[in-house]
Amino acid sequence: MEILIFIIIYAAFFYGIFKLAKSKNREPGGWMLASIIISPIIIIVILAIMQTLPGKKKRISKRKKSIKK
């Protein structure tokens, strides 16, 4: 039972690292691998401190509704 809890907690750390790395425009796979080697908590702190890399900008297109009378 303890191993199941350990796996669930580690999976939650992986998910958090993945989402944080994606939001900072970093490579999530490399950061997840680094968290296996070092520690997930240390990697989360490092990613939280790092600045966001310039990358693909999300474009939200807003269509103006034309009101015809």
Side-chain angles (χ1 to χ4, degrees):
M1 185 65 179
E2 293 85 17
I3 192 76
L4 182 63
I5 293 171
F6 179 76
I7 291 172
I8 291 171
I9 291 172
Y10 223 78
F13 277 128
F14 274 159
Y15 181 73
I17 290 169
F18 179 84
K19 294 301 277 185
L20 188 58
K22 281 294 242 187
S23 71
K24 301 275 186 167
N25 292 330
R26 308 273 176 181
E27 184 62 39
W31 287 102
M32 290 170 66
L33 181 63
S35 73
I36 292 172
I37 296 170
I38 301 172
S39 169
I41 296 172
I42 293 172
I43 297 300
I44 288 174
V45 170
I46 290 171
L47 275 171
I49 293 172
M50 295 178 88
Q51 293 181 350
T52 305
L53 288 177
K56 297 178 183 176
K57 293 186 179 181
K58 297 179 182 176
R59 286 190 158 188
I60 301 173
S61 61
K62 294 182 181 179
R63 292 185 177 184
K64 295 182 180 179
K65 294 182 179 179
S66 60
I67 302 173
K68 295 182 180 180
K69 293 183 179 181

